[in-house]
Amino acid sequence: MSDLAGLPLLALVLFAPWFLILGWLYWWFPRQPRTAARRRFDVAALALAVLACIASLHLSFDAADRSHGHLWPQVLATSVGYGVFLGVLAGAVLLRRRWPGLSQPR
């Protein structure tokens, strides 16, 4: 059996193109207002999403029950890491809408 099943960051490598697409969509929409405060908030949100994903990959990989097979830790880490990345971005979208100065005036 290959040692690739033992790499907790394999999911990050495999999902990197999809995370780049999601990150670009988060950054690009809505297009206005594009203030310096919004750019700082978006950079912080994207960095937090990646860091939280990496942390969850390691934690869930280590916490996985290996009695279900050698690949189970990788499957669990992938599922949890993807959910955490999406959760952080979804929370940032909601917070960005409600934070004064980051969203369009209503």
Side-chain angles (χ1 to χ4, degrees):
M1 179 158 165
S2 174
D3 286 338
L4 290 179
L7 301 173
L9 291 180
L10 179 61
L12 185 64
V13 172
L14 295 175
F15 273 98
W18 180 237
F19 286 167
L20 287 172
I21 291 169
L22 291 175
W24 177 82
L25 288 171
Y26 170 79
W27 181 271
W28 194 250
F29 294 105
R31 293 181 180 178
Q32 297 297 329
R34 189 73 67 179
T35 64
R38 164 137 174 236
R39 282 191 292 275
R40 284 191 302 271
F41 179 83
D42 288 348
V43 166
L46 289 168
L48 179 63
V50 170
L51 291 175
C53 177
I54 290 171
S56 68
L57 287 172
H58 283 286
L59 291 172
S60 59
F61 187 85
D62 293 339
D65 184 6
R66 283 161 172 72
S67 67
H68 296 289
H70 294 290
L71 197 55
W72 173 245
Q74 188 63 48
V75 171
L76 180 66
T78 301
S79 301
V80 171
Y82 183 61
V84 166
F85 185 86
L86 289 180
V88 170
L89 281 189
V93 167
L94 295 174
L95 186 59
R96 185 170 66 182
R97 285 184 174 179
R98 288 170 175 65
W99 196 318
L102 297 178
S103 63
Q104 292 179 331
R106 295 179 186 192

